[in-house]
Amino acid sequence: MTYVSGFVIPVPNDRKEDYRKMAEEAAAMFRDYGALEMMEAWGEDVRDGTVTDFRRAVQANEGETVVFSWIVWPDRETADAAEKRMEADDRMTPPEDAPFDMARMIYGGFAPIFQMGRKGADT
């Protein structure tokens, strides 16, 4: 069954293209490590919640947009092996002028329990 690494990241509005380029470059590395799919989605309708929301979760500031991102792996074993390999990969070292604050990124690994719409999807 597939496995998903998910991320929520605040990115300054004026760094959108820098972030997109960084994601595009990282995609090749994730593919090398076995990723099936990668999505970087720029927030357009990220509403304020009553108790919490995406913006509060990452302490987004004025002038920042929340990016919702995920990587789909064939299984957890592939994701875990990739994580170990990435720890030693220089391509994972963020540039000094990274287009986001890594301290405010939240992430985790998720096992799908239901999936609709993809050919060959496990449910």
Side-chain angles (χ1 to χ4, degrees), residues 4-122:
V4 178
S5 299
F7 309 85
V8 181
I9 308 160
V11 178
N13 295 334
D14 63 353
R15 301 292 308 271
K16 180 179 181 179
E17 182 58 19
D18 296 332
Y19 183 84
R20 193 205 60 75
K21 285 179 183 176
M22 186 187 73
E24 183 177 10
E25 291 169 5
M29 177 185 57
F30 293 129
R31 180 175 285 128
D32 289 347
Y33 290 142
L36 301 174
E37 174 184 327
M38 179 175 153
M39 174 66 73
E40 298 286 342
W42 190 260
E44 288 192 1
D45 186 17
V46 181
R47 299 174 188 186
D48 293 339
T50 303
V51 177
T52 192
D53 54 51
F54 280 109
R55 293 188 60 76
R56 281 187 265 188
V58 294
Q59 299 175 2
N61 296 315
E62 190 70 33
E64 292 182 324
T65 296
V66 175
V67 173
F68 181 51
S69 172
W70 66 87
I71 302 169
V72 178
W73 304 94
D75 50 46
R76 182 168 181 182
E77 292 75 24
T78 302
D80 288 347
E83 183 177 357
K84 287 188 186 318
R85 289 175 57 199
M86 284 185 271
E87 289 174 5
D89 192 323
D90 290 339
R91 295 177 293 177
M92 281 299 292
T93 303
E96 286 188 32
D97 66 338
F100 64 95
D101 179 359
M102 292 187 66
R104 292 185 290 139
M105 174 176 71
I106 58 174
Y107 59 91
F110 302 85
I113 60 170
F114 177 81
Q115 189 170 351
M116 185 280 300
R118 286 220 179 116
K119 185 175 180 179
D122 297 318

